[in-house]
Amino acid sequence: MKKILITGANGQLGSELKVLAEKYPEYEWIYTDREELDLCNLTKLETELDDINPQIIINCAAHTAVDRAESELELSDILNHKCVEILAKWSAANGCQFIHVSTDYVFDGTSAIALTEEAAVNPINVYGKTKLAGENACLENNPDAIVIRTSWVYSSYGANFVKTMSRLMQERDALSIVNDQIGSPTYAADLAQAIMVILTSSNWKPGIYNFSNEGEISWYEFALAIQEIGGFKCGISGIPSSAYPTPATRPAYSLLDKSKIKNVYEVAVPYYKDSLKKCMQLLNNVT
């Protein structure tokens, strides 16, 4: 029985993989978060991997607080880059399949067309820079690894835009949402499913793949969809990024082209509103 190690198991993607694991009893699942496997302790990481001895690693762990990363450069570099290098080296040396999750923030946002895996990278914030360093370390140290870039992740688990908006729309009469950052959201359950399609395929093709839901929208349009599905009465207006300054600059355009993952693995990519409805139905059941 192959052993799958999930890092960052309490995050959005890790939590969705836990749910999905019930459909894959042929694997032994090992879930770790910082308590079980401290990725910041670089000196002990190799030994701990030896002890677990997985045949597959799915690295969902990251320093994803984009604004905090600007002032937490060292922590961001350890979690998004240096530990990835060790995971990649260990998996290469031990014949272990390695899937590493990355981000659309490796791009600078100047494109006007959906970004393929070959598009030029040029991150404009610390989070993006450390994630790009992690991608490079991953593929340099384990050329047989798979990197999946994703964007605007949300889930019924953890903290995210969908849950925050759903709450604020019930608490406030009006909200202003940035309308000049364009991309597509990703329901973490869909990404988890895509990962399992890759793992259960007999066709392991290393390299970088993009995955997000279908649709080209702004955060403002995303908020409108949340409002519509939730039936919230809150007024929503669009504002430029300049009216909502943040420590980290975000790319203005980071829509991912999903052609490669569809062609190589026949991964189904749902439309963003269909997945958003599923997630919000789960949230309504919870609340």
Side-chain angles (χ1 to χ4, degrees):
M1 184 182 281
K2 278 189 176 180
K3 194 184 288 185
I4 300 181
L5 168 62
I6 309 289
T7 62
N10 293 338
Q12 297 184 87
L13 178 57
S15 297
E16 295 289 4
L17 282 164
K18 279 183 197 171
V19 173
L20 205 53
E22 294 173 16
K23 295 182 181 176
Y24 297 92
E26 65 270 31
Y27 296 103
E28 181 185 350
W29 296 79
I30 309 293
Y31 305 107
T32 63
D33 218 86
R34 65 194 66 166
E35 290 78 19
E36 297 83 15
L37 181 67
D38 185 0
L39 296 175
C40 291
N41 192 338
L42 301 175
T43 54
K44 280 181 67 181
L45 187 50
E46 247 181 280
T47 309
E48 296 197 337
L49 289 169
D50 285 339
D51 291 343
I52 299 168
N53 193 29
Q55 284 73 55
I56 299 163
I57 297 173
I58 305 172
N59 183 34
C60 308
H63 188 303
T64 56
V66 177
D67 288 322
R68 281 216 320 270
E70 294 295 308
S71 57
E72 295 177 351
L73 177 57
E74 188 179 5
L75 178 61
S76 196
D77 192 51
I78 288 170
L79 275 173
N80 295 340
H81 166 213
K82 287 179 178 165
C83 77
V84 179
E85 183 176 345
I86 294 170
L87 291 168
K89 281 180 181 172
W90 188 94
S91 55
N94 291 274
C96 172
Q97 290 175 294
F98 184 36
I99 293 180
H100 172 60
V101 181
S102 192
T103 175
D104 61 317
Y105 279 25
V106 297
F107 299 111
D108 61 14
T110 57
S111 176
I113 57 168
L115 294 144
T116 68
E117 291 80 359
E118 288 76 39
V121 289
N122 182 32
I124 54 175
N125 56 43
V126 167
Y127 171 67
K129 286 172 184 172
T130 55
K131 289 295 287 184
L132 179 59
E135 283 188 12
N136 293 336
C138 173
L139 294 171
E140 282 165 16
N141 289 283
N142 186 349
D144 201 40
I146 285 176
V147 171
I148 302 177
R149 288 178 182 152
T150 190
S151 61
W152 301 15
V153 177
Y154 70 93
S155 164
S156 58
Y157 301 94
N160 54 66
F161 186 79
V162 174
K163 290 170 86 170
T164 301
M165 286 297 112
S166 297
R167 176 176 55 80
L168 290 177
M169 286 177 195
Q170 294 172 80
E171 292 174 358
R172 299 188 189 175
D173 295 329
L175 290 170
S176 299
I177 309 295
V178 167
N179 63 5
D180 57 359
Q181 292 171 22
I182 307 298
S184 187
T186 305
Y187 183 26
D190 294 337
L191 177 54
Q193 183 62 61
I195 287 171
M196 292 315 299
V197 169
I198 291 171
L199 280 178
T200 53
S201 164
S202 55
N203 179 26
W204 180 268
K205 288 203 172 174
I208 299 172
Y209 294 84
N210 293 335
F211 184 89
S212 68
N213 286 122
E214 296 286 16
E216 179 176 344
I217 58 170
S218 66
W219 289 104
Y220 166 69
E221 289 167 313
F222 194 17
L224 288 179
I226 293 165
Q227 180 195 42
E228 178 194 334
I229 293 164
F232 304 125
K233 304 300 180 200
C234 173
I236 300 173
S237 56
I239 57 167
S241 300
S242 57
Y244 187 71
T246 54
T249 306
R250 267 75 169 170
Y253 186 96
S254 61
L255 183 69
L256 298 172
D257 183 309
K258 277 81 69 172
S259 304
K260 183 179 175 183
I261 202 166
K262 289 187 213 170
N263 294 337
V264 175
Y265 286 107
E266 297 180 3
V267 164
V269 182
Y271 182 57
Y272 87 94
K273 257 193 192 178
D274 296 333
S275 293
L276 181 58
K277 279 177 191 166
K278 285 184 186 176
C279 182
M280 290 186 70
Q281 280 166 356
L282 282 174
L283 287 172
N284 287 337
N285 290 342
V286 169
T287 52

